Amino acid sequence: MGFDNGALRSLEDALQGMLARLDCRCEAESVPLPEALDRVLASDILSPLSVPPFDNAAMDGYAVRLADLAAGAPLPVAGKAFAGQPYDGEWPAGHCIRIMTGAPVPPGADAVVMQEETQAGENGITFLAHPVAGQNIRRRGEDLAQGSRVLESGLRLSPRELPLLASLGIASVSVHRPLKVAIFSTGDELKPVGTPLQHGDIYDSNRYGVRAMLSRMGIECLDLGIIPDDPAALRAAFQQADREADALITTGGVSVGEADFTKQLLEALGEIGFWKLAIKPGKPFAFGRLPNAWFFGLPGNPVSAMVTFDQLVQPALARLAGQQFARPLRLQALAAEPLKKSPGRQDFQRGILSAGPDGLEVRSTGSQDSGVFSSLSRANCYIVLEQERGKVAAGETVTVEPFSGLLL
């Protein structure tokens, strides 16, 4: 890939360039269903049975044959059917069967009339509305046919899928093992939280954001802490990450003026490219691979690190984990106030999206400097401004990207 100090690279070009080189690194394993939450399916799930497995009542009411209703006379009740207790007795002509929701529909029934459309009397049940064939009957296989695909490979299992799998009697699933990612921060100025700061020191904050986002993705994290600007220490950290993880994410050391030493070390160990991205915040970014692990170098500025992880590293890690990744949802909204913007880079400003009198509207969280992390903590969306767009006047339409579960 080489060291690139040339033209700015678009976000889309950088993303597609990475994804074209990445494949799933995580082999499959079988886990019990209760342990499958947030795991990524390694193969399609096919339904082992039809759902529902039999015709059943969608309402409490009465199972009827349409021919018995033709005379309009009350029908005596021949018996009762409950969920788990089907009616297996005789069903004489001119009779109906009391039935509860979920109970198997007796053979020969044409419809189920809901209880609210009937009236009980001494001579039986009077039907106040004439049903149509199939009314209030859930047919066998109506939801899922036996052998049909229920879930696709690459899906990350959420609380919505586990009960579905349980309803099919599936006790274990084939999933990819969790991706393992090593992280560390670089810089002599960085100090652990909870320790006093000396003049020129700052607290190491980026690692907490990266680690939290990895956790949200269901990724196993190997946290190597803060690595000083020392060649031997950095080499040892890179080599440990390469031995023990599928990927390495660092923050700091990738901007112009800092990258020479990092570049020499990484290129000695593997293949690394340093890019200038046409986005704001997040201009400096590095991508490549060590002998075993893929490498992602994030900018040191806090907001830049979060934005580049969200927009670039998240889909790349999803690919390595074998997970499907959908493009983020983007909407149109009205700018509730003027927004500063200079042409040249795609801008991910931090905003607050809300419902206004004329539809969705968005306003800035304040200073958009890449070192002002409070601008991100107050936001619920990005205001995505096109690369060549200039300043935005109040009332103009802008594109917004609501924060995903990664940041919320």
Side-chain angles (χ1 to χ4, degrees), residues 36-124:
L37 180 65
D38 288 332
R39 300 294 296 272
V40 177
L41 283 177
S43 59
D44 292 350
I45 299 291
L46 304 181
S47 180
L49 47 83
S50 295
V51 180
F54 47 81
D55 293 355
N56 68 89
M59 294 279 186
D60 291 345
Y62 297 88
V64 297
R65 290 175 291 225
L66 296 183
D68 291 333
L69 297 177
L75 301 182
V77 177
K80 297 180 180 180
F82 297 90
Q85 300 178 35
Y87 177 71
D88 295 325
E90 292 293 325
W91 187 3
H95 287 66
C96 63
I97 294 174
R98 178 76 166 131
I99 193 167
M100 301 293 117
T101 302
V105 173
D110 297 312
V112 171
V113 181
M114 61 189 299
Q115 183 173 310
E116 291 81 357
E117 295 178 348
T118 66
Q119 186 174 11
E122 292 183 3
N123 297 323

Side-chain angles (χ1 to χ4, degrees), residues 273-324:
F274 288 78
W275 300 338
K276 290 181 180 179
L277 300 180
I279 65 172
K280 182 180 180 182
K283 184 177 178 181
F285 184 80
F287 167 69
R289 74 172 304 158
L290 300 169
N292 176 65
W294 288 98
F295 171 76
F296 305 91
L298 305 182
N301 281 327
V303 181
S304 300
M306 296 290 280
V307 171
T308 51
F309 185 106
D310 190 18
Q311 296 294 318
L312 285 166
V313 180
Q314 179 186 194
L317 295 181
R319 176 70 61 87
L320 292 174
Q323 181 182 346
Q324 300 170 4

Side-chain angles (χ1 to χ4, degrees), residues 10 41 50 135 150 155 157 160 208-209 230 234-235 241 243 253 274 290 298 309 313 333 376 407:
S10 73
L41 283 177
S50 295
Q135 183 172 312
V150 181
L155 176 70
L157 294 172
R160 292 176 289 119
Y208 290 89
D230 173 76
L234 277 171
R235 178 180 287 270
R243 287 193 308 270
F274 288 78
L290 300 169
L298 305 182
F309 185 106
V313 180
L376 188 61
L407 293 177

Side-chain angles (χ1 to χ4, degrees), residues 94-297:
H95 287 66
C96 63
I97 294 174
R98 178 76 166 131
I99 193 167
M100 301 293 117
T101 302
V105 173
D110 297 312
V112 171
V113 181
M114 61 189 299
Q115 183 173 310
E116 291 81 357
E117 295 178 348
T118 66
Q119 186 174 11
E122 292 183 3
N123 297 323
I125 306 300
T126 299
F127 295 88
L128 307 178
H130 196 82
V132 297
Q135 183 172 312
N136 296 323
I137 296 177
R138 300 189 191 107
R139 295 299 183 186
R140 180 179 184 272
E142 185 177 288
D143 184 6
L144 293 171
Q146 186 174 1
S148 63
R149 185 168 62 183
V150 181
L151 300 174
E152 290 187 12
S153 173
L155 176 70
R156 186 179 175 194
L157 294 172
S158 76
R160 292 176 289 119
E161 285 82 38
L162 297 192
L164 171 61
L165 295 174
S167 73
L168 298 175
I170 295 175
S172 62
V173 290
S174 176
V175 295
H176 292 290
R177 68 160 175 85
L179 190 72
K180 187 173 184 178
V181 175
I183 64 172
F184 64 78
S185 301
T186 62
D188 290 338
E189 77 281 8
L190 299 179
K191 294 296 180 283
V193 296
T195 60
L197 293 179
Q198 304 299 320
H199 181 65
D201 293 343
I202 59 173
Y203 286 121
D204 174 29
S205 60
N206 290 343
R207 195 160 41 90
Y208 290 89
V210 171
R211 183 165 184 164
M213 291 187 289
L214 291 174
S215 177
R216 284 282 173 88
M217 293 183 69
I219 291 173
E220 184 179 341
C221 180
L222 173 62
D223 190 345
L224 300 180
I226 303 170
I227 307 300
D229 292 324
D230 173 76
L234 277 171
R235 178 180 287 270
F238 278 113
Q239 290 174 332
Q240 181 183 353
D242 190 49
R243 287 193 308 270
E244 301 180 18
D246 301 297
L248 167 64
I249 299 173
T250 66
T251 59
V254 296
S255 61
V256 174
E258 330 180 327
D260 285 347
F261 171 69
T262 308
K263 168 185 175 289
Q264 293 170 10
L265 176 59
L266 291 175
E267 288 189 339
L269 298 173
E271 177 194 8
I272 306 297
F274 288 78
W275 300 338
K276 290 181 180 179
L277 300 180
I279 65 172
K280 182 180 180 182
K283 184 177 178 181
F285 184 80
F287 167 69
R289 74 172 304 158
L290 300 169
N292 176 65
W294 288 98
F295 171 76
F296 305 91

